[in-house]
Amino acid sequence: MPDTASRPGMLEQDAHRLSAVGDWTLPHYARLREAVAKVHQAESIDLQRLGELDTSGAALLVDLLGPEGVHDIAQWAPQLSPERQALLRVVADATRRPLYPPTAPRSGLTAALARLGQVVELLARQQLRLVAFIGLTLTTLLATLVTPRRWRITSLAAQVQQSGLNAIPIVALLTFLVGAVVAFLGATVLRDFGATIYTVNLVAYAFLREFGVLLAAILLAGRTASAFTAQIGAMKANEELDALRAQGLDPVQLLVLPRVLAMVVSLPILALIGTLSGMLGGALVCAMALDISTTQFLTILQRDIPLSHFAVGIGKAPLFAFVIAVIGCLEGFKAGASAQSVGEHTTSSVVQSIFMVILLDALAALFFMEMGW
């Protein structure tokens, strides 16, 4: 057999049986595969002149003999070494085993519960990533505060203009219209009780505590968080983030901190403008539909509405701003190298930001109610 060990592998067929000759190894796989494809499955094969054998040649022998024939190889080919017999059996077992284990059919309820479990697991992992990124952002912020040479004032001012000043018109217009709608609703409902004067209180409480900051936060979640995700996602797709790291720059410090701080500065200002615009819309409706003059409107505000309600509303703005900015930046870092991935994560950042803002606002409302504030 030594004189045949170095021969190219081949499959010889005579009148009696098949013979495997030479090396059945990967370099000869293509030619051997063509030879095996021309032969019908055999019950046995002469392996006395077989040279070298690897997994590719073993796979071809299994195709030729079938898994059952390989299982009984010790009986019809006792001259084959135990190592090669074991190799053939392992390859035969691998080809007989399905790639994916069969799953039992699920009923409608079982499938729905399984899908619900997958969604819950996905949300849990998503929240863990958010908490981890919040921790990374805070630690980077603390490390940057103690080193003033790392402060990026220019970038911060540019982000304040983009996320805050440029959003003033849309925030003012939207809250003005909502204020008018709330005043119309109050006038319609309270007229039946002869208490239309309390429309002023309704508008004031609604915008001082909730609508002023909430509408501004939702607008920034849709306008600015998506912009953060798209900007960072495009930079990642263009490998600009890798270039920053190669230059020894921290992307969190360079890209995330200016955006987060800009949002923390901008949202309280927008919330104040939104509150004033909403009450202006309510005052206009009161003057036109309820004969409540602007002077009377302001007098009721000063006399009956404590300033603490404004503090409750504006105090939620920095928290909302931080969460919106962090979610927008995190989704940008999670985006892939394709335009589709950037679009998907941009949508995800808007949905997550709005959801988190409403959730935090609901929790804050419950907390302030229990505290009596």
Side-chain angles (χ1 to χ4, degrees), residues 61-96:
L61 290 176
V62 171
D63 289 341
L64 189 61
L65 297 168
E68 292 77 10
V70 173
H71 183 72
D72 300 330
I73 193 171
Q75 300 177 7
W76 56 266
Q79 75 280 2
L80 200 63
S81 64
E83 292 80 7
R84 293 187 173 182
Q85 292 183 16
L87 174 61
L88 289 170
R89 289 195 184 97
V90 169
V91 174
D93 292 339
T95 57
R96 182 161 38 188

Side-chain angles (χ1 to χ4, degrees), residues 320-367:
F320 291 170
F322 181 81
V323 171
I324 292 171
V326 167
I327 291 176
C329 295
L330 174 59
E331 291 299 315
F333 282 109
K334 288 164 59 179
S338 63
Q340 180 181 359
S341 178
V342 174
E344 291 175 352
H345 285 281
T346 301
T347 303
S348 177
S349 69
V350 175
V351 174
Q352 288 186 58
S353 300
I354 294 176
F355 173 78
M356 290 300 297
V357 164
I358 296 176
L359 177 63
L360 291 175
D361 187 68
L363 295 176
L366 292 176
F367 173 76

